[in-house]
Amino acid sequence: MMYAAFRSIGAYVPAKILTNAELEVMVDTSDEWITKRTGIKERHIAAADERTSDMGVKAAELAIKRSGLAKEDIDMIICATISPDYFCMPSTATIIATKLGLGKVMAFDISAACTGFVYALSIAKAFIESGMKKNILIVGAEKLSAITDYTDRGTCILFGDGAGSAVISATEDKNEAIIDIHTGSDGSFADLLMTPNGGSGSAHDELDREAAGCYMRMKGNETFKVAVRTLTADVVEILEQNNIESSKITHFVPHQANYRIIKAVGDALELSDEQVVLTVEKYGNTSGASIPMAINDIYESGKLQQGDLMLLDAFGGGLTWGSALVPFTGKAIH
Ligand code: COA
């Protein structure tokens, strides 16, 4: 039996920082409101000529290097993004594969918003366990600034750009195996968080970006309540079904949308502050990139050690959600 192991992590954060103070000038908001309601102090914004694929490539280069594999060993790439280089085709994954020089590997994007990385992880696990692939590169990359309306204070304070990537490899060692992944969705909540236009349901002849709704829209408060409920239920279920106490989790890595959501879920699981990974303060919400960026943070700070058990928990537009119990099998940085 082949198992899937989480082998390595990498991330990329664009240089430009957008602070709460700068947003105060752009919309009717305040540093105090943003900090109190979300925990966010700043977010990074990609350069005008920096695409989602460019950020994905930089994160992936690190992940491949840290995996100890050669590029030729990678046999598939999945990119989770809601801000692809091109909305219909080609996929951002194919562009990343070519920029990386990965050869003619199978490459595709998935659309599961902030749950994208966990969905990609579950697809990678399935391909590896079935024996079809051996080393899969998964990338969560977002240029959300390209679909953010900087006149809408309900959303523009939340989102940032960045990318994270991981290599998932086949192993025969059960101790290294990703233990379990739960995923779900409910399209009846589609209107809570959406980019109304630009898809096959849109009026292509009216594409004035703002009027035609090419920017993200969110019913923040309703989304907040469903997020807390769903994220909590999801992790309680995956822990119970696998007979794992929350005290055994080394790192709880939730999607970084809002400090208050993370705190509510962490409290429900009776997790200590040391167990909960928090990056929302410096990156904001980077959707599909948020979880791998957070994992990379604990990796680079030396907190993530080989054998540590991570509990991932994501929630996003769709609505979609997912959780995963993942031992880290890579070499620690320190
Ligand atoms: N600055 C100042 N005031 C703001 C504001 C801002 N940036 N954004 C909204 N407000 C105002 C509202 O207009 C409202 O004013 P009113 O009471 O006069 O009507 C008030 O603040 C409260 O708004 P509300 O939307 O109820 O605030 P909230 O506590 O729910 O916080 C979010 C708003 C967006 C931060 C929060 O709902 C959230 O994080 N939602 C979920 C995000 C998420 O998880 N997304 C899914 C995964 S990506």
Side-chain angles (χ1 to χ4, degrees):
M1 166 88 192
M2 271 301 167
Y3 301 102
F6 196 104
R7 192 61 79 204
S8 66
I9 188 74
Y12 170 76
V13 188
K16 187 182 162 196
I17 291 175
L18 177 62
T19 63
N20 290 351
E22 287 169 293
L23 282 163
E24 282 178 354
V25 181
M26 296 158 69
V27 287
D28 180 14
T29 192
S30 64
D31 172 47
E32 192 198 350
W33 192 96
I34 301 171
T35 307
K36 202 166 145 214
R37 298 288 179 123
T38 71
I40 301 168
K41 293 300 265 183
E42 57 190 36
R43 62 293 290 144
H44 290 247
I45 304 294
D49 62 352
E50 199 169 30
R51 293 176 168 218
T52 297
S53 63
D54 298 319
M55 293 187 280
V57 164
K58 290 192 173 128
E61 274 169 344
L62 264 183
I64 296 171
K65 187 167 164 232
R66 289 169 177 170
S67 73
L69 296 170
K71 283 181 179 173
E72 302 75 60
D73 298 327
I74 303 292
D75 49 16
M76 178 165 140
I77 166 167
I78 311 169
C79 179
T81 184
I82 51 164
S83 47
D85 287 11
Y86 304 98
F87 264 101
C88 298
M89 61 179 170
S91 72
T92 303
T94 58
I95 297 167
I96 293 174
T98 298
K99 285 182 179 168
L100 282 171
L102 291 189
K104 298 183 174 26
V105 296
M106 178 175 177
F108 59 95
D109 290 357
I110 58 154
S111 168
C114 306
T115 317
F117 187 78
V118 176
Y119 268 48
L121 190 61
S122 80
I123 297 167
K125 180 174 180 285
F127 266 91
I128 285 172
E129 287 176 354
S130 70
M132 285 180 72
K133 301 289 174 190
K134 286 198 167 52
N135 297 298
I136 301 178
L137 181 73
I138 56 174
V139 181
E142 302 284 9
K143 186 172 180 173
L144 296 179
S145 58
I147 55 166
T148 296
D149 178 356
Y150 286 97
T151 65
D152 173 18
R153 68 178 182 173
T155 53
C156 73
I157 56 145
L158 299 171
F159 297 103
D161 300 336
S165 177
V167 173
I168 313 301
S169 291
T171 178
E172 287 179 357
D173 182 352
K174 195 165 186 228
N175 294 318
E176 291 190 334
I178 293 172
I179 298 168
D180 198 7
I181 306 184
H182 285 195
T183 46
S185 75
D186 186 346
S188 67
F189 289 107
D191 68 327
L192 287 193
L193 189 47
M194 61 160 51
T195 312
N197 227 324
S200 63
S202 66
H204 296 282
D205 49 353
E206 290 168 14
L207 277 186
D208 160 356
R209 286 185 73 76
E210 190 178 350
C214 291
Y215 294 129
M216 259 187 293
R217 298 287 173 222
M218 180 170 73
K219 295 181 181 168
N221 193 264
E222 287 169 60
T223 309
F224 185 99
K225 290 175 197 152
V226 190
V228 173
R229 211 168 51 231
T230 310
L231 282 164
T232 307
D234 207 26
V235 279
V236 166
E237 186 185 272
I238 199 169
L239 287 173
E240 270 177 15
Q241 287 185 1
N242 290 281
N243 255 323
I244 293 176
E245 302 276 332
S246 63
S247 59
K248 297 279 179 280
I249 303 300
T250 335
H251 308 285
F252 173 54
V253 192
H255 168 51
Q256 307 284 319
N258 184 317
Y259 171 73
R260 290 187 293 142
I261 297 176
I262 297 170
K263 176 91 178 90
V265 180
D267 287 352
L269 288 179
E270 297 181 347
L271 296 173
S272 67
D273 288 352
E274 289 69 44
Q275 286 171 290
V276 180
V277 178
L278 270 177
T279 58
V280 69
E281 180 179 1
K282 51 185 183 174
Y283 302 142
N285 181 346
T286 57
S287 193
S290 117
I291 286 183
M293 286 171 74
I295 297 173
N296 186 67
D297 249 56
I298 51 171
Y299 179 76
E300 291 192 349
S301 66
K303 288 187 199 144
L304 182 59
Q305 298 288 317
Q306 197 169 43
D308 282 0
L309 181 57
M310 301 186 285
L311 172 59
L312 317 185
D313 195 16
F315 174 88
L319 294 177
T320 56
W321 58 88
S323 55
L325 280 164
V326 184
F328 181 68
T329 67
K331 281 205 187 95
I333 206 161
H334 298 303

